[in-house]
Amino acid sequence: MIDKIKKLEKISTQLELKPEKRKNWNQSVLSYIDTFLDDFNPTTTFQVSEDMGKGILDIPIEEAGKPMEQLLIALKDNVDRPNLNPASAGHFGYIPGGGVYTTALADYMAAATNRFSGVFYACPGGVRMENHLIRWMCKMVGYPDTALGNLSSGGSIANLSAISTARDVKEIKARDIENCVIYLTDQVHHCVQKALRIAGMREAIIRYIPMDGAYKMKTPFLAQQIIADKKEGLRPFLVVGSAGTTNTGTVDPLDQIGQLAKMHDLWFHVDAAYGGFFMLSPEMKPLFKGIELSDSIAIDPHKGLFLSYGIGALLIKNVKALYKTHQYSATYLQDQINVEEDPSPADLSPELTRHFRGLRMWLSLQLMGISPFRAAIEEKVYLCRYFYDKIQEVGFEVGPYPELSIAIFRYVPKQGDPTKFNDKIVELIKQDGRIFFSSTTIDGVYWIRFAVFSFRTHLPHVELALSLLKDIIFNKKLENRSI
Ligand SMILES: *Cc1c(COP(=O)(O)O)cnc(C)c1O
């Protein structure tokens, strides 16, 4: 037996890198990243590819390892080349963010030290750090000291946890679901409908409340609908407001929704995945009035704090509510009982073993301070307003005035189908590749979206976007302009 163990050990020790090898591989990875990051000007945001990264399949997973250089080439050609580069300053599609480099540094450390931040007992400092960050966000939104929450992998999971929590706090049992009513607008992010399904509420009644011209919920309709539903013997239980919709960056009248929710004893959830961190700006904060009336909020540091993908947050006004859905004890975790000075993420989320994601947010905020984040957020607001003004001078039609950093626009040609025409614009921009737009359809109308939210995006990139659009309209082609 000892012989066998020693034989296996000889091979398994390869998993612990020798210092020399560690240094070499570190060097290779660092130089790969340096090349990637120094390559942003001129920007390449979208690279149309025939192969769609298929070459990654040509490298089989085998018994023996392969040289780092071979793998980095495969990565560069197949993963970091085709299609969208969300790290690029020219990314105006969906919701950009960019990914500040301090995320990478912190993730490197979190992975290398591999601390277990799921329970207080295992890593009290890590749990305190995460709760400290959550309390900082709770304070920003005006929640009381009873509030806490959880750092999730993203906004979708934060929304799911909130909805599951609402269901349990409001004691909605399986037999009640058909009579339950949920109130939203059709501009709510689709992850909310998805969460309702995952949370077993597929059969619940969803009421889509009408919106005004700026796509805000018309609260008098909400009030009427709740009263009508109660009269019918239904059970209104949840209202979801958006603090920054994905399509147009619209903030619902949170104050009015909050008051109605209170009056009718509904759980009030706010999806602030995109918009939440605009509250760091004193200039923008009044828009969010009433968010403190909510019971739960989803907010995404991988959007509004420009961190790399993989961190969202759920904030809950009364942390006890979270326990109801998420706490569970097991015999194999008995050592941790009664040593908690701060709640464990494992009791406040579906996860047990998890990425120590708090470190990336903590290191980024601590190293750079809040000030550059706030400035970047405000800069994006003004860049969006600038674009909104200038694009009209080119002859484009626009949607409502941007409340945050998203504008919608389209060109209505003298003849022909506007949808086809605008779709062609998006396609031409994609072929050029320096910038990227995504599109949407609202009330049957095709719009191009201008979402400016990468920390890397500054005035020259917006000017480039404007000049490319101008070239398309006036020359029907793209001039070779760089910034
Ligand atoms: C991005 C977004 C989500 C989903 O969050 P993920 O982090 O992508 O899972 C939910 N709601 C809104 C308003 C969003 O913008």
Side-chain angles (χ1 to χ4, degrees):
M1 179 124 81
I2 296 285
D3 275 357
K4 175 96 185 168
I5 290 172
K6 287 199 163 155
K7 227 163 114 191
L8 289 170
E9 182 186 290
K10 218 167 163 184
I11 308 169
S12 75
T13 46
Q14 290 171 26
L15 294 177
E16 189 65 87
L17 304 188
K18 299 245 162 45
E20 190 62 20
K21 192 173 238 177
R22 205 164 68 212
K23 214 185 234 163
N24 283 341
W25 284 358
N26 275 348
Q27 221 52 63
S28 308
V29 168
L30 281 180
S31 92
Y32 180 88
I33 293 168
D34 281 340
T35 311
F36 180 87
L37 291 178
D38 293 341
D39 215 21
F40 275 133
N41 204 356
T43 67
T44 309
T45 309
F46 199 96
Q47 291 207 48
V48 175
S49 96
E50 292 287 310
D51 55 274
M52 298 274 183
K54 222 186 244 159
I56 205 73
L57 306 178
D58 296 341
I59 314 171
I61 314 282
E62 291 171 309
E63 281 299 317
K66 299 183 178 61
M68 176 67 96
E69 300 316 319
Q70 181 196 345
L71 301 175
L72 290 180
I73 289 168
L75 191 64
K76 184 171 193 305
D77 288 348
N78 298 292
V79 179
D80 289 334
R81 178 188 49 89
N83 293 20
L84 182 62
N85 175 6
S88 164
H91 179 31
F92 295 105
Y94 315 112
I95 307 281
V100 286
Y101 187 67
T102 45
T103 319
L105 293 178
D107 272 11
Y108 177 62
M109 285 195 286
T113 60
N114 203 29
R115 296 303 300 232
F116 177 47
S117 60
V119 298
F120 185 85
Y121 174 69
C123 185
V127 170
R128 285 189 208 275
M129 177 195 284
E130 294 208 350
N131 288 342
H132 186 47
L133 291 164
I134 295 163
R135 289 186 181 108
W136 174 72
M137 290 184 279
C138 286
K139 201 165 166 205
M140 178 181 77
V141 301
Y143 271 1
D145 290 345
T146 52
L148 198 63
N150 180 248
L151 298 181
S152 61
S153 55
S156 301
I157 299 299
N159 277 302
L160 172 62
S161 259
I163 280 163
S164 311
T165 303
R167 177 199 60 203
D168 292 352
V169 169
K170 295 293 181 192
E171 311 257 348
I172 308 290
K173 304 284 187 320
R175 62 173 177 274
D176 306 321
I177 286 170
E178 280 182 1
N179 283 325
C180 272
V181 197
I182 295 145
Y183 305 85
L184 351 144
T185 71
D186 85 347
Q187 290 300 305
V188 141
H189 193 276
H190 73 276
C191 76
V192 170
Q193 281 98 332
K194 203 159 122 178
L196 286 167
R197 265 191 279 147
I198 299 172
M201 307 199 66
R202 188 190 291 265
E203 286 81 22
I205 303 161
I206 299 183
R207 301 280 192 220
Y208 290 95
I209 306 302
M211 295 167 293
D212 66 13
Y215 308 111
K216 285 176 189 281
M217 186 188 282
K218 283 184 176 170
T219 47
F221 284 90
L222 173 64
Q224 276 172 22
Q225 188 68 53
I226 296 171
I227 292 163
D229 288 336
K230 277 187 169 168
K231 252 192 206 143
E232 258 190 69
L234 299 174
R235 195 162 156 186
F237 101 100
L238 169 67
V239 56
V240 181
S242 299
T245 59
T246 308
N247 263 343
T248 57
T250 301
V251 182
D252 277 322
L254 303 174
D255 203 28
Q256 292 163 32
I257 299 174
Q259 286 170 26
L260 285 170
K262 196 163 184 187
M263 194 187 304
H264 295 285
D265 196 24
L266 304 193
W267 184 278
F268 177 26
H269 174 66
V270 176
D271 182 2
Y274 154 61
F277 284 104
F278 283 90
M279 290 189 79
L280 284 177
S281 159
E283 200 180 323
M284 306 303 290
K285 198 164 176 167
L287 253 184
F288 296 81
K289 185 168 178 281
I291 197 169
E292 72 285 353
L293 301 175
S294 65
D295 298 290
S296 54
I297 298 171
I299 179 170
D300 265 359
H302 67 197
K303 288 178 178 164
L305 289 183
F306 319 111
L307 303 187
S308 308
Y309 295 145
I311 182 164
L314 168 65
L315 312 180
I316 289 261
K317 185 180 261 166
N318 182 354
V319 64
K320 287 205 187 103
L322 262 185
Y323 281 115
K324 196 165 170 85
T325 306
H326 297 98
Q327 190 179 35
Y328 215 87
S329 62
T331 47
Y332 42 81
L333 296 175
Q334 63 193 9
D335 304 332
Q336 74 183 59
I337 296 170
N338 297 332
V339 298
E340 295 207 341
E341 288 175 25
D342 214 9
S344 292
D347 289 328
L348 306 173
S349 84
E351 295 179 302
L352 178 58
T353 310
R354 66 200 282 280
H355 175 42
F356 179 22
R357 52 181 74 96
L359 185 56
R360 43 179 28 220
M361 181 169 168
W362 183 81
L363 194 72
S364 301
L365 286 168
Q366 296 289 18
L367 278 174
M368 300 189 281
I370 301 171
S371 146
F373 290 95
R374 180 185 295 114
I377 284 166
E378 291 181 343
E379 177 194 19
K380 306 316 157 199
V381 171
Y382 284 99
L383 286 175
C384 190
R385 292 177 186 173
Y386 179 76
F387 178 88
Y388 187 82
D389 289 345
K390 290 287 166 191
I391 197 66
Q392 294 177 69
E393 291 172 16
V394 186
F396 279 82
E397 189 179 283
V398 289
Y401 190 77
E403 286 196 292
L404 301 176
S405 70
I406 301 173
I408 51 172
F409 64 102
R410 64 184 200 133
Y411 197 84
V412 183
K414 290 208 176 65
Q415 58 217 33
D417 177 7
T419 296
K420 275 199 191 127
F421 190 90
N422 287 282
D423 198 40
K424 180 79 185 166
I425 294 176
V426 171
E427 184 57 32
L428 284 172
I429 293 276
K430 198 169 85 181
Q431 297 287 339
D432 174 83
R434 281 172 287 176
I435 63 166
F436 177 79
F437 288 129
S438 60
S439 70
T440 189
T441 299
I442 305 176
D443 295 334
V445 177
Y446 183 107
W447 293 96
I448 307 175
R449 285 174 69 261
F450 176 80
V452 50
F453 212 34
S454 167
F455 75 97
R456 289 198 172 97
T457 305
H458 304 296
L459 190 56
H461 310 103
V462 176
E463 297 286 17
L464 175 67
L466 285 164
S467 73
L468 293 182
L469 288 163
K470 208 185 271 175
D471 286 348
I472 291 177
I473 298 304
F474 295 117
N475 306 323
K476 301 281 188 287
K477 67 177 170 60
L478 294 172
E479 279 167 17
N480 192 19
R481 233 178 265 193
S482 68
I483 57 169

